[in-house]
Structure formats: C-alpha cells, structure tokens
Amino acid sequence: VVTKIDTKFFGCHGLLFAHGALYACTSEKGKGDIWRLRDTKGDGSYAEQTLIRALKGSGEHGPHQLVLDRDGSILVVGGNHTKLPDDEKAGAPVKRYDEDDLLKKYEDANGHASGIKAVGGWIARMDKDGKDWIRVTACFRNPYDGAVAPDGDIFSYDSDMEWDMGSPWYLPTRINPVVNGGDYGWRSGSGRWPAYYADSLPATVDVGPGSPTGSIFGTGAKFPVKYQRALFALDWTFGTMYAIHTEPNMSSYKATKEEFLSRTPLPLTDVVAGSDGALYFTVGGRGTQSELFRVTYVGTES
C-alpha cells in the first residue's frame, strides 16, 4: 500500500525517519530547506509539518541527504552550491579558506560553479530540532549522501567534474573517509587541489567517472559477512552499485571496489537495508521512471 503525504514543500533530495519524525531536505526550484513531519493524528498523514532550518542553496548541487549518526545527531550533506549557515557553533573547522592561487585560475567555460569559492561541498551536523549546527568537514565537490560505519566512522562518495577530464586538475569520483575538520581540496576550476597535496586528505579508493547518489553500509542485511561490512555506493550515470570493501590502513582506510549490480539504464538514487534483511534501492531522477527494487541473497555462505 502506498500512502500519499500532502506536503507544504516539494523537491526532496533527502528523507530520514528518526526521533519519531520524518525529516525532509528539499533542494529544487530555489528552495533548500529542512522540514520535520510528525504523524500526530496516527493516520499516516504526517499533518504536522515544521520548517526547522532554511538553507541557502538549491538544485543538483544544493543540500542533499540527511543521515542519522550514532549519537542521535543528524548529519546534513551539502553540495558545492550550498552556503553554510551563519549560526555555526564554536568548534567547527576554521572558517577562512583563502584560495591563494599563484597563477590565474581557469574556471569552467560553461560557467558551472564559476565564482564560487571554498568551502564548496560540506557535511555538518545538527540536533533533532535543527539547532546546534556544527560543521564536520568541507571542500567536497558534490557529495550526495553519507554513511556511518558500525564503528562510527563516516564515509562519503564525492563527485568528479566530468568536463575537466583530461585536464591536470581532474579527480575522479572517490570514496572519502570523513575526518573532523578535514579539507578535501575542492576549488572551482583549475584551483582544484591535486590528490597529493599534503593539506588535502586522501581518498579511500578512486571509483572513476560517474554521478554519486546514495550510499549505506550493509549492516543488518542477510548477506555474506563481507557484504554486511561493505559500503554500498550508487552511481546514477552508469547504473552501477559498488560494494566498497574497506580495511584499516595506518590512521585511516584503504579499500577495493566491486561491481555489485548494474544495468543499462539503471539511474540509481538511494539504497537502504530493510528490517527483513533485504537491500532495497530506488531509481529515477531527471524525468525518468521511478522504480523500487529488492535484492536478496540466495546461497549457503554464513
């Protein structure tokens, strides 16, 4: 049974059910807001709808997904066209990101992100009421989602700038460990930091060209152990879901990527591990047909 919820808003990129409420992050047609919906009538209508935070940014590089962290706080993932709010609490990373280009910077000839300065994309956290905003990390290009590992570490799947392919400053889509106070080197155009810069944090694994969307750890899935521990990362463009197998490497991680499933077309949008132990994922976006799929394991592995 599908129940339609009539809302005061539209264009959700992120949905999260937590603290007895449904949180929604909008990002279309000039509106980037975070709403909290409560089903006070108990009829599935979620009629109580409260705007708990307005964000400056919208569209495919605006605010995206909401992720529940282990302490009950909510992680907010923003793309590089989203400005950080002015009410960040003390303890956030340094707020000055002077770009200090020695040579004149070449920005995108089509005008994409032209004139936008660091911090670019970011991940922040807030409480269940949209308050106590603290930036976690910054200078991504356009991360759409984040995933919390069972041990508490956070990972994100960041976008490339496909029009920069072949240039010295191109970096592919990549899985990043989200480190408090980290700078992941995004700067508009040729100002992009190379991966080898000492000030920039390295990727766990490079994935390649694509358009990252949802991600989640396989915790709770009735899959073989290696997939329960894997990070599932979705690529919209090439219709591929990757299983990222991580292992500790000094103070961080290294990883290998595995093509878990794919189809052409399969415009993947989001994924979740269901309470029945199956993996559920959706497809759609940009006017394509939306569909819901279920993945179950058939085999004898533990």
Side-chain angles (χ1 to χ4, degrees), residues 39-218:
D39 187 20
T40 54
K41 298 179 180 179
D43 59 359
S45 66
Y46 287 88
E48 181 187 294
Q49 300 176 13
T50 306
L51 174 63
I52 61 172
R53 178 169 286 275
L55 295 171
K56 301 173 184 177
S58 64
E60 292 187 357
H61 290 251
H64 297 309
Q65 191 57 277
L66 306 169
V67 181
L68 184 66
D69 206 351
R70 297 195 308 172
D71 63 356
S73 65
I74 297 173
L75 299 171
V76 184
V77 183
N80 62 332
H81 291 191
T82 319
K83 293 182 179 180
L84 283 158
D86 297 327
D87 63 338
E88 286 187 325
K89 293 283 186 179
V94 62
K95 292 189 177 183
R96 288 202 182 102
Y97 285 81
D98 295 330
E99 300 204 353
D100 297 329
D101 296 306
L102 296 177
L103 302 176
K104 181 180 179 181
K105 181 165 67 175
Y106 291 97
E107 296 197 276
D108 182 68
N110 289 318
H112 181 79
S114 180
I116 295 179
K117 302 290 187 181
V119 301
W122 43 261
I123 294 177
R125 74 172 71 246
M126 64 180 190
D127 68 10
K128 61 185 178 64
D129 299 315
K131 300 175 181 177
D132 291 333
W133 185 282
I134 299 176
R135 193 188 329 164
V136 177
T137 193
C139 295
F140 293 112
R141 180 175 183 257
N142 190 33
Y144 196 90
D145 200 357
V148 181
D151 63 4
D153 286 322
I154 304 168
F155 290 82
S156 189
Y157 183 17
D158 197 15
S159 302
D160 64 347
M161 177 54 178
E162 62 271 27
W163 298 335
D164 285 346
M165 290 182 70
S167 70
W169 52 87
Y170 173 77
L171 284 182
T173 69
R174 53 190 194 152
I175 305 293
N176 293 299
V178 177
V179 177
N180 282 334
D183 185 328
Y184 289 84
W186 180 85
R187 305 292 188 270
S188 180
S190 63
R192 181 70 170 91
W193 290 5
Y196 59 78
Y197 270 21
D199 289 345
S200 183
L201 291 164
T204 303
V205 64
D206 288 338
V207 177
S211 296
T213 49
S215 60
I216 194 172
F217 274 87

Side-chain angles (χ1 to χ4, degrees), residues 206-269:
D206 288 338
V207 177
S211 296
T213 49
S215 60
I216 194 172
F217 274 87
T219 311
K222 293 180 180 177
F223 287 1
V225 172
K226 71 174 184 177
Y227 294 111
Q228 295 179 38
R229 295 173 177 168
L231 168 65
F232 291 95
L234 278 57
D235 171 30
W236 186 89
T237 297
F238 296 106
T240 303
M241 183 186 300
Y242 294 98
I244 308 298
H245 304 286
T246 63
E247 57 180 290
N249 180 38
M250 294 185 286
S251 63
S252 187
Y253 294 87
K254 60 182 179 180
T256 57
K257 63 178 181 179
E258 173 191 353
E259 187 177 297
F260 183 73
L261 61 85
S262 65
R263 189 187 74 181
T264 303
L266 193 69
L268 294 154
T269 53

